[in-house]
Amino acid sequence: MTSQVRHLHPRASSSLPPILSLEPTVFDLEGNTMAEHHELLPTSTSLTDPALLEKFDRLFACNVGDYVALPQLIAVGDQSSGKSSVLEGLTGLPFPRDSTLCTRFATQIVFRRAAGQASRRIRASIKPAAQSHPECIARLKSWTRTEAGHLDPKSFSDMIHEVHTIMGIRSLEDQSKPTFSRHVFRLEISGPDEDHLAVIDVPGIFKSVTPGVTTKHDIDLVRSMVQEYMRNPRSIILAVLPANVDAATQEVIERAREADPEGQRTLGVLTKPDLVDRGAEHQVLDLISGKSMPLRHGWVLVRNLGKSELAIGDKTRLEVEEELRMREGWGSIPADRFGIESLRVRLQETVTENARREFPMVRLDINKKLKETKSALQALGQERINRNQQVDFLLDLVARFQDVMSNALRGNYGADDIFDKVKRFRLATTVIDRNDQFKSDMMSMGHIYRFRTEDDGESKPSTSSKAKDAEGVIDDGHITTRKIDTRIDVNDALTDPELLSPPVDEDIFRWLESEYLGSRGFELGTFNTSLLPTVMKKQSSKWGSIALGYISDIIAVVNAFIISVLDDLSVDGRISRGLLAIMTDELQKKYAKAIEHTRFLLENERNDTLISLHQSFTDSLQSRPEMKMQKVIADKTFHAGNAALGKVVRLEDIKLAMPGFSNRDYMVQQIHDILQAYYNVAQARFVDNVVMQSANYYLLSGPKSPMRLLSPTFVYRLSDQELEDIAGEDPVIHRQRMQLSKEIEDLEVAKKILL
């Protein structure tokens, strides 16, 4: 066993610096103490801005770096570049030298001054990678380790072994696991004498696959991880590369140039100067002097202890650095560009300058991100975890639906932007247009035979001019009973479209005569009382097709309105689909009720009893003879010379003008006139009743219409399971909500930190 030898450097001070009061110890290969690195204990410097850097440390601690780019120091380098030794010199942490424990993940090391702490404390934790599985996140976050005082090499090595296991990284015992991880190992070192410094050590870049250890995927993964950290525009890149190789050929320099083309945020570190060939020192000096590959923050040369030197333990870092300066070719290096102490000072300058420069922009970015995150959370709607939340959510939806419905029925389209989206939302207008079509179809196409008017010389079809452009009118004068294309799941309640031909061109008198002759009994001077209901039923036989086509269209309009409004108002389609699934049966019943009532009105108008108390019916019957007489004698009238009498006609002329009617012709004429008078009254009454009762009352404005189905009562009657199925938060939405809520919480904390 090698005896312990303690080496004190002449420059060592009894006043421990804030940043690295670690007193790390070097061990031999068996883990025995060899020498204490007092050269890692520099004199405290006032170059840092503790208050500012502490703010950024606290921002990292509350995960704000996940949402906005924060100023940070990134240590990058190829494998075997000496990066771990440089970080050990800067941090005093005894990084493991076992090849199986080389950097397999990003390590964030944070030094923080804690004036209230009596002694130094080291806390280790793991920050899960973004998009990790919730179970993985919980497992990683549950792991923490706390050490008091200092970490010796064995303790640190054991901790790294444990982190490998927790992260699920390949080990000698389990070769099936991945070699690298995107999780972050975090070390927080706090104490009354610590200074503020944070550095992230990422895995070293490598180009060759090691069979059984690394793969091509690992090469790409590490390269992607390094580039991701370097792309942060607020990061300082600490690029570590050996001095004994051509810097221009190093991949770390290539990656740094991609992320920082102008070299504005890169600080170069050259290691292994003792391996530079004699006479080749000028290439290194050209880099340090800025003659080749100039960087804004320049280059610093450091001399790490080699494995043999560490094993023997008879020299310190400061001693080997002094020995190097004494060698020919190295003495001209400026003091501020040589050694770990100069690198530390330059880092403190660079980090502080970068933090001061980026502070205002970080504050702006945090405020902007907070606003965006709150908007995203608001867009998800209110939380819906328990029954009360789900009921409240649906009640809000119902209230919104009822507002839209009320405005749609009143035609108050300026009250909501929803009415500007698609035509089907303008419910009142759509229904009124369909009402007009219904009335027009009934008047022009509802009868089988066209009635005779006083102006008719001969019977003429009412659709002699073909309305090719009218909706629902076919170019040969036929019409379809359905005007609205129905692509909704209520077809069981609706009638199929039917093609109707215009009134026939055959003389109505011939038909009525045939009906009269076929129904005569022993009536004297009149006709059978059952004849009028018979001809009325025949003449109105198309009413059913027209009316049922109309009410089917109104049902289609109402159903499409309900579905469209629910889809528009719902946070996601699952809510509207769930509501409609429960509403469908009741909607079908209400639609069937409207159709049933239409059939009732139809049957009532076309039964065997014809009734009308309307004055127009009486007036029409009384005016028919008078109108006929006026037409007959119109050309026989003359002025008798007496202004008081006006126009007169001779009795002889009246007798001569009156046609001679047989009893049969007279009866047919009477039947025609009575049928026409009653048909007109009954048709107007039927149209009004269908529109007012079947459409308006049963489908639109009535207290039990489909439009009233979605109500607070409907919501309160839902079972717990139905509420969960309809309004329960989708797991994906719930995770988004939790993530956004966590972001808002972190960003709110960050906002207070930056005040």
Side-chain angles (χ1 to χ4, degrees), residues 693-744:
Q693 298 175 28
S694 298
N696 190 67
Y697 183 83
Y698 280 97
L699 295 176
L700 297 171
S701 302
K704 296 183 179 180
S705 76
M707 308 289 281
R708 310 286 180 182
L709 180 58
L710 196 60
S711 65
T713 302
F714 174 87
V715 174
Y716 284 121
R717 287 177 178 172
L718 295 174
S719 66
D720 290 347
Q721 186 59 53
E722 288 173 331
L723 277 172
E724 179 62 33
D725 293 341
I726 296 171
E729 200 151 73
D730 186 272
V732 174
I733 298 295
H734 182 65
R735 285 195 296 271
Q736 291 178 355
R737 186 185 303 282
M738 294 299 100
Q739 178 62 35
L740 291 171
S741 298
K742 180 64 167 58
E743 287 185 24
I744 291 173

Side-chain angles (χ1 to χ4, degrees), residues 506-523:
E506 184 180 343
D507 189 349
I508 189 173
F509 284 157
R510 293 199 186 105
W511 167 59
L512 291 176
E513 182 180 7
S514 174
E515 293 291 333
Y516 166 69
L517 294 176
S519 65
R520 283 188 301 174
F522 295 102
E523 302 86 3

Side-chain angles (χ1 to χ4, degrees), residues 6 39 46 250 528 653 698 711 728 752:
R6 182 182 179 93
E39 71 277 12
S46 61
Q250 296 296 289
N528 194 325
D653 291 336
Y698 280 97
S711 65
K752 293 178 181 178

Side-chain angles (χ1 to χ4, degrees), residues 208-240:
S208 301
V209 172
T210 302
V213 179
T214 59
T215 64
K216 179 65 169 60
H217 171 73
D218 293 331
I219 295 175
D220 296 335
L221 175 64
V222 171
R223 182 177 290 117
S224 171
M225 193 185 307
V226 171
Q227 288 176 316
E228 181 180 338
Y229 278 100
M230 289 197 297
R231 274 197 298 266
N232 176 1
R234 295 186 176 123
S235 66
I236 296 297
I237 302 171
L238 185 65
V240 182

Side-chain angles (χ1 to χ4, degrees), residues 139-297:
R139 177 171 52 82
L140 294 179
K141 284 189 173 182
S142 67
W143 183 90
T144 58
R145 292 292 180 272
T146 302
E147 298 283 344
H150 311 286
L151 270 177
D152 59 55
K154 185 176 186 308
S155 298
F156 199 9
S157 177
D158 291 344
M159 184 183 291
I160 297 299
H161 266 297
E162 192 172 351
V163 171
H164 278 220
T165 302
I166 296 296
M167 288 190 182
I169 293 176
R170 178 197 300 263
S171 64
L172 294 175
E173 295 77 18
D174 189 350
Q175 298 290 315
S176 63
K177 295 180 179 179
T179 306
F180 295 90
S181 172
R182 287 189 175 273
H183 304 309
V184 179
F185 176 49
R186 180 179 170 88
L187 276 175
E188 299 176 65
I189 304 168
S190 61
D193 299 319
E194 303 299 330
D195 209 341
H196 296 275
L197 179 68
V199 60
I200 296 179
D201 178 28
V202 294
I205 300 172
F206 62 99
K207 298 180 179 179
S208 301
V209 172
T210 302
V213 179
T214 59
T215 64
K216 179 65 169 60
H217 171 73
D218 293 331
I219 295 175
D220 296 335
L221 175 64
V222 171
R223 182 177 290 117
S224 171
M225 193 185 307
V226 171
Q227 288 176 316
E228 181 180 338
Y229 278 100
M230 289 197 297
R231 274 197 298 266
N232 176 1
R234 295 186 176 123
S235 66
I236 296 297
I237 302 171
L238 185 65
V240 182
L241 59 155
N244 62 327
V245 297
D246 184 1
T249 65
Q250 296 296 289
E251 184 172 356
V252 64
I253 292 298
E254 180 184 345
R255 301 302 169 195
R257 281 174 170 171
E258 291 176 358
D260 180 29
E262 303 298 325
Q264 293 299 302
R265 51 187 183 87
T266 303
L267 172 60
V269 179
L270 295 168
T271 63
K272 305 183 180 181
D274 51 312
L275 301 181
V276 175
D277 294 335
R278 294 281 183 175
E281 295 88 352
H282 68 279
Q283 296 178 355
V284 178
L285 296 177
D286 286 346
L287 284 172
I288 295 174
S289 65
K291 292 181 181 179
S292 62
M293 298 180 64
L295 300 174
R296 179 174 180 272
H297 300 292

Side-chain angles (χ1 to χ4, degrees), residues 470-543:
E471 187 173 358
V473 178
I474 313 303
D475 58 4
D476 62 353
H478 289 67
I479 67 166
T480 178
T481 56
R482 297 292 304 278
K483 315 294 184 182
I484 295 175
D485 186 14
T486 306
R487 294 191 179 94
I488 54 177
D489 191 22
V490 292
N491 290 322
D492 290 345
L494 309 184
T495 60
D496 294 328
E498 185 177 344
L499 198 62
L500 298 181
S501 59
V504 297
D505 199 15
E506 184 180 343
D507 189 349
I508 189 173
F509 284 157
R510 293 199 186 105
W511 167 59
L512 291 176
E513 182 180 7
S514 174
E515 293 291 333
Y516 166 69
L517 294 176
S519 65
R520 283 188 301 174
F522 295 102
E523 302 86 3
L524 182 62
T526 182
F527 50 84
N528 194 325
T529 56
S530 65
L531 177 59
L532 280 174
T534 300
V535 294
M536 176 63 188
K537 187 173 293 186
K538 175 72 178 293
Q539 182 72 331
S540 62
S541 58
K542 290 192 287 185
W543 285 14

Side-chain angles (χ1 to χ4, degrees), residues 33-193:
T33 303
M34 298 289 295
E36 295 181 45
H37 286 193
H38 283 273
E39 71 277 12
L40 297 180
L41 309 178
T43 304
S44 179
T45 176
S46 61
L47 291 173
T48 59
D49 185 339
L52 181 60
L53 295 180
E54 183 180 10
K55 288 181 183 290
F56 283 117
D57 289 346
R58 291 169 62 191
L59 292 181
F60 276 111
C62 66
N63 301 313
V64 174
D66 293 344
Y67 320 128
V68 298
L70 294 177
Q72 54 188 341
L73 177 63
I74 310 297
V76 297
D78 293 350
Q79 282 188 357
S80 303
S81 63
K83 176 165 60 70
S84 293
S85 296
V86 170
L87 291 175
E88 181 176 298
L90 288 171
T91 65
L93 292 173
F95 282 76
R97 303 186 184 280
D98 184 350
S99 61
T100 62
L101 294 180
C102 65
T103 308
R104 304 295 189 186
F105 40 77
T107 301
Q108 184 179 28
I109 307 169
V110 178
F111 291 90
R112 182 180 300 127
R113 180 174 298 174
Q117 271 182 219
S119 61
R120 193 166 188 265
R121 186 168 63 231
I122 301 172
R123 182 180 184 275
S125 60
I126 300 174
K127 179 182 175 183
Q131 310 303 322
S132 297
H133 191 276
E135 293 181 2
C136 175
I137 293 175
R139 177 171 52 82
L140 294 179
K141 284 189 173 182
S142 67
W143 183 90
T144 58
R145 292 292 180 272
T146 302
E147 298 283 344
H150 311 286
L151 270 177
D152 59 55
K154 185 176 186 308
S155 298
F156 199 9
S157 177
D158 291 344
M159 184 183 291
I160 297 299
H161 266 297
E162 192 172 351
V163 171
H164 278 220
T165 302
I166 296 296
M167 288 190 182
I169 293 176
R170 178 197 300 263
S171 64
L172 294 175
E173 295 77 18
D174 189 350
Q175 298 290 315
S176 63
K177 295 180 179 179
T179 306
F180 295 90
S181 172
R182 287 189 175 273
H183 304 309
V184 179
F185 176 49
R186 180 179 170 88
L187 276 175
E188 299 176 65
I189 304 168
S190 61
D193 299 319

